[in-house]
Structure formats: C-alpha cells, structure tokens
Amino acid sequence: MKHIMTENYEEMSRKVAEMVIGRIREQGNLVLGLPTGNTPIGFYQELVKDYKLNYTSYQHARSINIDEYIGMSGDDPKSYRYYMNHHLFMHINMKKENIHIPNGLAVDVEGECFCYDQVFEEIGPMDVLILGIGHNGHIGFNEPGTSFQSTTHKVELTEETRQMNARHFKSLDRVPEAAITMGLKSMMDSKEIFLMVTGDGKTEAYTQFLNGRVTEDFPASILHSHPNLTVIVDQSTINTPDNR
Ligand code: PGA
C-alpha cells in the first residue's frame, strides 16, 4: 500500500487527478471505476480543467460508476447519474455508450444487478478504481457486514448513511432507503485503486482503516489485501471535529 499525505482538499484532488490523467494518457481505452459524494468533486474539477487546457481525450475510455439510489430517475438532481453528468461527463468527450451507471428506476432490481455484473465481464476488470470512504467504513454503498465476495447488489441503507446523506436532500424522509452498489469483490478485481480520505469526522474511520484488521464489519479494510492500493489523505480534515 502506498500512502500520500496532502495538506488540503485541493492538493489531494490534484494529486489523484494527476495520477488518473497519467493513466489515461498511457492507455486511451482505460476502464475507470468512479465514485460520487463530496470526496471526488475536486478531483472531477481537476479532470475537467485538464481536459479544457490539455485536451486529454476520453474518447476511448470507459467508466463504471459505483452506485445509484433505487427509485431515482437519472434526471433527478439528487441521482448519481445527474451528479456525474453535472460534474464530469457533460464537460469531457467520453462517449455516452461507454458510460455505465446502475439504473435506479429498474423494476427488476435483481436483473439490473445481474446486467451490471455483465459489464465487468464485457469490458472489465476496471483498470483504475477511485474511492472515498464513509464514516462507518463503507465503500460505495457496501455497508458494514457486506460479504467480501459480493458482486453488484441491492442494499438497504443504514440509518447512519441516510442521515449523512440527508444534507443533500430537503429532509431525512426524502433520502432513498435503498441503492444498487458495485460489490466488494468487483472492486477488488480492479487493477489499481485510489482511496481518497477527506471530510470532517473521518478521523475515526481513517484510524480504524490504518489499524489494518481486515473484517467485514469495516468494509474498507478489504483494501489492505489489494496489491496496488494508494491512499491519498487530506490532512486538513483528519483530526477535525465531527461536524455532521
Ligand atoms: P463523502 O462520502 O464523499 O460524501 O464524504 C463518502 C462515502 O460515504 O462513501
């Protein structure tokens, strides 16, 4: 595991973007695993900035997003499809057909999960997966207790996660109760993983991650077994109070 300490959010975002841009320049048809949430917003801004300045091309790149809320249309500003369009896809030249995000409106959720796993069969494994970490150690929506063998699946969100995400909604009762998420096994199949650690109140999660005990009670701990993991830490938010 490589560890990079950065002074602040901007530096963390820039560092990860530089590494990812480097990979895309080396391999045009890179398969990227992409997260949502507050953590990667600066990273996406850096990719967009670079695209405008240096024309790094995504013409042959493919993306597989990590998760989506169930019951939410991609046109809904709270959906992760909308988030991705807004922060990244509308600004770069990745082809629509190369973008993969679970369909939150699928009537047959199990069928949707099955189809999503087929994407890995067809274009996977991912070359580079970018992750954030939740306060309870979740990665994607893989909540504590998720099997390390999991592939794409439906997840009932924990109360803690719903409360955390309520900041993006008008009220807690509007936060969806379930989501579709890429599983932990699929994540571990990625050839390379970047884990970004940032956000008030993440000190405990970071400390628990560092103690190295690999347990399904703390999903991010599985990453210790990955042969090519880089953890990039925004030091400015480590040891800050939990302002949730
Ligand atoms: P955040 O969430 O990026 O909004 O802090 C991370 C996560 O919950 O996975």
Side-chain angles (χ1 to χ4, degrees), residues 121-202:
E121 297 293 320
E122 283 158 26
I123 67 166
M126 294 172 284
D127 293 297
V128 178
L129 168 64
I130 296 109
L131 291 173
I133 183 171
H135 290 79
N136 61 4
H138 73 204
I139 44 177
F141 273 132
N142 292 291
E143 300 283 23
T146 305
S147 164
F148 282 170
Q149 291 309 314
S150 55
T151 52
T152 306
H153 59 283
K154 175 183 174 182
V155 53
E156 305 292 337
L157 302 181
T158 62
E159 207 44 37
E160 185 181 6
T161 295
R162 290 187 67 241
Q163 275 169 11
M164 275 309 305
N165 291 4
R167 65 204 143 123
H168 303 299
F169 291 81
K170 282 205 176 112
S171 60
L172 178 61
D173 57 315
R174 298 207 184 188
V175 183
E177 293 186 346
I180 293 174
T181 186
M182 183 186 290
L184 293 169
K185 181 183 175 304
S186 317
M187 289 182 174
M188 290 296 281
D189 286 341
S190 178
K191 293 180 195 159
E192 182 169 25
I193 299 179
F194 294 120
L195 173 67
M196 287 189 265
V197 182
T198 182
D200 286 348
K202 297 261 177 91

Side-chain angles (χ1 to χ4, degrees), residues 14-236:
R14 208 168 45 243
K15 281 247 149 70
V16 179
E18 279 166 11
M19 292 187 282
V20 170
I21 291 163
R23 306 293 185 275
I24 289 173
R25 293 213 181 123
E26 278 164 22
Q27 185 191 333
N29 67 351
L30 206 75
V31 179
L32 280 165
L34 296 176
T36 48
N38 285 343
T39 299
I41 290 176
F43 159 70
Y44 292 136
Q45 283 168 349
E46 291 292 331
L47 293 191
V48 172
K49 200 158 73 179
D50 165 76
Y51 178 74
K52 288 185 176 154
L53 270 176
N54 304 316
Y55 310 109
T56 302
S57 181
Y58 295 80
Q59 200 187 357
H60 302 293
R62 282 80 52 86
S63 71
I64 308 180
N65 255 84
I66 294 174
D67 43 20
E68 179 61 287
Y69 288 119
I70 288 178
M72 208 162 256
S73 145
D75 297 331
D76 189 316
K78 306 293 181 207
S79 72
Y80 287 159
R81 181 174 286 275
Y82 187 96
Y83 169 109
M84 288 306 302
N85 286 338
H86 176 76
H87 289 291
L88 185 66
F89 296 138
M90 65 185 282
H91 306 286
I92 63 171
N93 67 337
M94 195 181 283
K95 289 184 185 152
K96 240 183 171 168
E97 64 265 31
N98 288 337
I99 292 170
H100 304 277
I101 303 177
N103 176 8
L105 287 185
V107 180
D108 174 8
V109 174
E110 282 201 4
E112 175 65 15
C113 294
F114 178 80
C115 289
Y116 213 61
D117 282 335
Q118 295 310 301
V119 176
F120 294 98
E121 297 293 320
E122 283 158 26
I123 67 166
M126 294 172 284
D127 293 297
V128 178
L129 168 64
I130 296 109
L131 291 173
I133 183 171
H135 290 79
N136 61 4
H138 73 204
I139 44 177
F141 273 132
N142 292 291
E143 300 283 23
T146 305
S147 164
F148 282 170
Q149 291 309 314
S150 55
T151 52
T152 306
H153 59 283
K154 175 183 174 182
V155 53
E156 305 292 337
L157 302 181
T158 62
E159 207 44 37
E160 185 181 6
T161 295
R162 290 187 67 241
Q163 275 169 11
M164 275 309 305
N165 291 4
R167 65 204 143 123
H168 303 299
F169 291 81
K170 282 205 176 112
S171 60
L172 178 61
D173 57 315
R174 298 207 184 188
V175 183
E177 293 186 346
I180 293 174
T181 186
M182 183 186 290
L184 293 169
K185 181 183 175 304
S186 317
M187 289 182 174
M188 290 296 281
D189 286 341
S190 178
K191 293 180 195 159
E192 182 169 25
I193 299 179
F194 294 120
L195 173 67
M196 287 189 265
V197 182
T198 182
D200 286 348
K202 297 261 177 91
T203 309
E204 205 181 307
Y206 180 53
T207 308
Q208 202 169 334
F209 174 75
L210 285 183
N211 89 20
R213 201 167 78 83
V214 178
T215 162
E216 289 182 352
D217 291 338
F218 192 77
S221 67
I222 193 177
L223 300 175
H224 284 286
S225 323
H226 195 277
N228 195 3
L229 169 71
T230 303
V231 183
I232 308 95
V233 183
D234 161 14
Q235 287 190 91
S236 73

